[in-house]
Amino acid sequence: MKQKIEGLLLHAFAALKTSGVIDQSVVPNIVVERTRDASHGDFSSNMALTLAKTAKTNPKQLAEKIIALLPQDKHIINVELAGPGFINFFVDRNAQYDIIKRIHNEGPGFGLSNIGAGKKVQVEFVSANPTGPLHVGHGRGAAYGSVVADLLEAVGFNVHREYYVNDAGRQMDILATSIWLRYLEVCGEVLPFPSNAYRGDYVRDIAWNIHNTAGNEYRRPAELIVENIPLDEPQGGDKETHIDAMIVRAKTLLGTSLYRDFFQMGLNTILEDIKDDLEEFGVDYQQWFSEQQLMEDGSVDIAVARLRAGGHLYEQDGAVWFASSKLGDEKDRVVIRENGQYTYFASDIAYHMNKLDRGFDQIVDIWGADHHGYVPRIKAAITALGTDEAKLKVLLVQFAILYRGDEKVQMSTRSGEFVTLRQLRNEVGKDAARFFYVMRRSEQHMDFDLKLATSKSNENPVFYVQYAYARVCSVLRQLDEKGWERNLLSGMDNRTRLTEEHEVNLVTILARYPEVLERAALQYEPHQLVQYLRELATAFHTYYNAHQFLVDDAQIRDARLNLICAVKQVLSNGLGLLNITTPESM
RNA sequence: GCGCUUGUAGCUCAACCGGAUAGAGCACCAGCCUUCUAAGCUGGGGGUCGCAGGUUCGAGUCCUGCCAAGCGCGCCA
């Protein structure tokens, strides 16, 4: 309907041009919106207001001319000029009821579209370091990313979901060393645990497992380990140099091969845990991309060589710098350190080069908001690699600030004091967790009150939407119990008898669903879908309380059943996209 | 100090490329269960859209300045 009206306006616009009211060079900018107020009709356009200036007339006069030039359409029963120059369209109510039929025919496919035209989009999200279990901060990125991906797929994009595994680098060495030190404690060695090491219980668990299978094979005496190691911070030293020395000590005492065992055990155990966790959270990936792989197959070398060939690199103070400040970054960045090692940034350039080489039409990176300062340098790298940086869209997700009632929950991966995503899921369930996470705009700081989310009360909005679905199911069960049959065809034939205000309202809300999906997807805003589902549920609950569905008049009854089944279908489609269950009874 | 993000009802948040009277939920007050599940519904109070300018037919939305909060500003990842 919206497109139809846009077409009519476009027609009028062309006529305005030929009659000379508007200059030939003016580009049409036709905007048709659904009205907020029913007295403004069903659709509205501000075309006359926006064009008044270029047409050098006042908006009202222009609007009159446009209305006069509009072609007839059997579904448009009235066109009005209103306010400062709005053109309001009133649509034939009977035509609107067709949506009920359409929803029934299209079923789970209702709302899907092909705006994406099969374009390849890569969505990378979560990508947390495999140095510990996912915490509730990662949960928001996981929920948000997976829904963004699903929405894009729903509107016709070819979506590739990916997790970048940072399985190389210093953090992993700290993990491996942490595990080894815990293992030595299990063996009975007495030695201090570095303040900068990973302290979580999961580190101990991995150490225990290694000891169970390998016994004392990796045991080394404590004296050798602490010998000549620079002091840790609590003893007045520097925690970074201390932990780095411990890593080197672990490597020398164990040798490359045995050290590797700890590294791999840590990585494998934690990565498996993350994979299980995400799967149980309803988050799927097409690919887990390894940073190590990138280092080993020479991709980083190639990426750096390409930057060098493009004249984007220079040497200074013994390091190799990328001149990113010429491409919008605030300063230049090191890609190869003085010690000859690549920086994390270098492998990230290689990773993005790899993404570009795989031929995606659009790349979407979803990061925690604390990484926002990283955006300009990655964009600069993409430009330097010869690609339009608009190909990369970086979406930032603000951290959820955790509360228990009024008390703020402090979190730190290193100290091991954090609430894991798994704990959250166990406490509130997958559905509530997902719903909460995507309920807000992603850039919005979010307060996540564990007390509130864990209380299974009606304050939890997910129940409200699910309950609407369950109620429809309940009505259908009642229908059976009364021994009545639902006559689908009769219901369709009588759909125009749904003249109650609540019914008309519900029909227009249902008709909006495809538009909501499209906008939510193209703007990467899942919360729009959530808002919509809440609105639909409200309209349904209101209707439910105002009118009886299972009435004696079979024609009305069937028409109403068809309407609420359409509601059920749209709730199912929408909740399905959010990967939230639709219980038939609650 | 510089940069990014945010600032809307007591609290948590919406508001479609700038559109018509800024909307929900929670909390609060008053009502609705012999009728399809009361995890529901109806009504009510509650707002200088952080502050001050500007742009225009029109600004919560765009621009400038200021205030406040969060984050970032490594040869860490």
Side-chain angles (χ1 to χ4, degrees):
Chain A
M1 203 66 230
K2 207 168 173 177
Q3 284 94 341
K4 189 175 275 180
I5 293 170
E6 281 167 7
L8 299 179
L9 286 170
L10 205 60
H11 199 272
F13 180 81
L16 283 176
K17 271 192 179 175
T18 45
S19 64
V21 178
I22 287 177
D23 196 81
Q24 287 294 332
S25 62
V26 178
V27 195
N29 181 27
I30 313 281
V31 176
V32 175
E33 288 185 337
R34 285 187 182 272
T35 56
R36 290 198 185 123
D37 190 332
S39 68
H40 298 144
D42 300 295
F43 294 90
S44 171
S45 177
N46 62 355
M47 183 177 162
L49 291 162
T50 55
L51 284 176
K53 201 162 202 176
T54 46
K56 295 190 180 84
T57 61
N58 78 58
K60 283 197 174 185
Q61 283 177 3
L62 184 62
E64 275 170 18
K65 283 182 189 159
I66 293 170
I67 293 171
L69 288 169
L70 282 174
Q72 290 291 318
D73 187 286
K74 60 176 177 169
H75 295 310
I76 307 292
I77 49 172
N78 191 19
V79 181
E80 280 181 2
L81 165 62
F86 290 104
I87 303 170
N88 293 338
F89 297 84
F90 292 75
V91 178
D92 174 26
R93 185 167 291 168
N94 292 347
Q96 299 189 51
Y97 286 114
D98 289 346
I99 200 71
I100 299 173
K101 217 169 185 172
R102 216 182 114 197
I103 292 169
H104 177 264
N105 290 338
E106 298 179 15
F110 175 70
L112 305 183
S113 62
N114 195 30
I115 305 156
K119 278 195 221 150
K120 284 176 71 183
V121 182
Q122 191 224 28
V123 182
E124 182 217 325
F125 59 109
V126 185
S127 299
N129 283 350
T131 52
L134 297 177
H135 55 68
V136 291
H138 299 124
R140 191 175 187 187
Y144 176 71
S146 68
V147 176
V148 164
D150 289 353
L151 280 170
L152 288 171
E153 203 160 78
V155 300
F157 287 94
N158 182 354
V159 180
H160 186 83
R161 300 160 184 80
E162 194 159 306
Y163 188 118
Y164 183 52
V165 184
N166 292 116
D167 52 7
R170 182 166 169 263
Q171 296 304 320
M172 289 304 296
D173 280 323
I174 296 178
L175 176 74
T177 305
S178 305
I179 297 169
W180 185 54
L181 293 172
R182 289 302 192 203
Y183 163 88
L184 292 169
E185 288 175 9
V186 177
C187 295
E189 296 292 338
V190 178
L191 68 179
F193 196 72
S195 58
N196 212 21
Y198 289 99
R199 312 187 83 87
D201 288 338
Y202 62 92
V203 177
R204 280 202 172 87
D205 294 342
I206 297 169
W208 271 103
N209 282 337
I210 294 176
H211 189 262
N212 279 343
T213 52
N216 286 343
E217 187 187 346
Y218 302 95
R219 183 172 181 172
R220 299 291 182 274
E223 313 87 75
L224 282 183
I225 292 156
V226 297
E227 192 179 34
N228 292 328
I229 291 283
L231 291 178
D232 198 2
E233 194 169 82
Q235 283 73 48
D238 180 66
K239 59 179 180 180
E240 304 291 349
T241 47
H242 175 75
I243 191 78
D244 282 338
M246 291 299 284
I247 292 169
V248 173
R249 184 60 48 88
K251 286 178 177 171
T252 40
L253 288 180
L254 284 171
T256 317
S257 170
L258 295 188
Y259 176 79
R260 196 85 209 142
D261 291 346
F262 273 85
F263 191 99
Q264 280 303 328
M265 274 300 281
L267 173 63
N268 294 346
T269 309
I270 291 172
L271 200 55
E272 277 315 305
D273 174 73
I274 288 175
K275 286 183 180 179
D276 289 349
D277 202 6
L278 287 172
E279 196 180 320
E280 286 167 24
F281 194 42
V283 178
D284 294 315
Y285 287 95
Q286 273 74 52
Q287 194 171 347
W288 295 73
F289 196 101
S290 157
E291 182 190 3
Q292 241 180 77
Q293 182 82 41
L294 216 48
M295 307 289 271
E296 284 163 12
D297 70 9
S299 295
V300 184
D301 303 315
I302 296 167
V304 170
R306 269 176 66 177
L307 292 182
R308 184 170 279 132
H312 298 283
L313 300 185
Y314 65 90
E315 283 192 37
Q316 191 183 307
D317 304 329
V320 178
W321 298 69
F322 168 45
S324 55
S325 64
K326 285 185 184 155
L327 301 168
D329 198 4
E330 25 176 78
K331 55 177 94 164
D332 293 346
R333 311 288 173 178
V334 170
V335 286
I336 304 175
R337 291 197 278 258
E338 206 175 348
N339 65 11
Q341 289 196 317
Y342 287 120
T343 57
Y344 172 82
F345 180 45
S347 54
D348 224 7
I349 294 171
Y351 180 40
H352 282 85
M353 177 185 77
N354 179 289
K355 291 186 184 193
L356 295 171
D357 289 349
R358 277 187 274 166
F360 294 111
D361 297 298
Q362 176 82 50
I363 295 168
V364 178
D365 284 4
I366 297 175
W367 298 345
D370 55 335
H371 287 78
H372 64 77
Y374 206 73
V375 178
R377 76 188 74 167
I378 287 290
K379 292 223 166 207
I382 286 174
T383 308
L385 289 169
T387 306
D388 181 5
E389 50 103 21
K391 213 166 199 177
L392 170 69
K393 178 82 184 170
V394 181
L395 303 172
L396 300 173
V397 180
Q398 286 287 348
F399 282 130
I401 303 162
L402 270 193
Y403 288 88
R404 250 184 235 286
D406 292 333
E407 199 185 331
K408 199 168 172 177
V409 181
Q410 296 300 330
M411 295 214 303
S412 154
T413 311
R414 194 66 54 80
S415 69
E417 287 169 30
F418 54 85
V419 182
T420 63
L421 176 59
R422 183 169 274 115
Q423 271 174 278
L424 180 77
R425 286 195 291 107
N426 289 340
E427 283 178 31
V428 306
K430 183 192 92 170
D431 290 346
R434 289 186 69 101
F435 197 92
F436 257 75
Y437 275 132
V438 298
M439 198 164 60
R440 310 298 182 205
R441 249 172 57 230
S442 69
E443 316 90 84
Q444 186 70 248
H445 298 259
M446 187 175 90
D447 288 352
F448 201 128
D449 186 348
L450 287 168
K451 218 167 166 184
L452 187 81
T454 51
S455 74
K456 280 212 164 185
S457 74
N458 54 357
E459 288 167 20
N460 227 329
V462 63
F463 291 130
Y464 184 81
V465 179
Q466 288 178 320
Y467 185 42
Y469 181 89
R471 266 185 158 172
V472 178
C473 296
S474 174
V475 171
L476 295 176
R477 283 193 297 270
Q478 286 290 320
L479 182 77
D480 266 357
E481 282 171 29
K482 292 194 185 214
W484 280 336
E485 290 278 318
R486 173 183 165 208
N487 188 328
L488 186 76
L489 292 178
S490 163
M492 290 302 174
D493 289 343
N494 289 289
R495 65 190 183 278
T496 54
R497 290 187 63 187
L498 299 170
T499 53
E500 297 288 349
E501 197 186 330
H502 294 99
E503 294 165 339
V504 175
N505 184 34
L506 214 37
V507 166
T508 46
I509 292 177
L510 288 171
R512 264 172 48 211
Y513 180 68
E515 296 161 26
V516 170
L517 270 197
E518 178 183 333
R519 228 178 59 215
L522 295 180
Q523 300 184 0
Y524 312 104
E525 292 189 340
H527 79 274
Q528 293 193 23
L529 175 58
V530 176
Q531 295 284 97
Y532 170 83
L533 290 174
R534 294 177 77 174
E535 197 184 331
L536 176 59
T538 302
F540 172 76
H541 286 309
T542 308
Y543 179 39
Y544 180 96
N545 275 276
H547 299 283
Q548 189 81 13
F549 307 147
L550 300 177
V551 291
D552 291 332
D553 182 333
Q555 293 188 342
I556 297 238
R557 184 174 74 228
D558 287 329
R560 287 184 173 171
L561 286 171
N562 282 358
L563 176 59
I564 66 168
C565 281
V567 171
K568 181 185 171 207
Q569 183 69 62
V570 173
L571 286 173
S572 163
N573 293 2
L575 287 172
L577 273 172
L578 299 175
N579 212 325
I580 289 172
T581 59
T582 46
E584 307 220 327
S585 68
M586 292 175 73

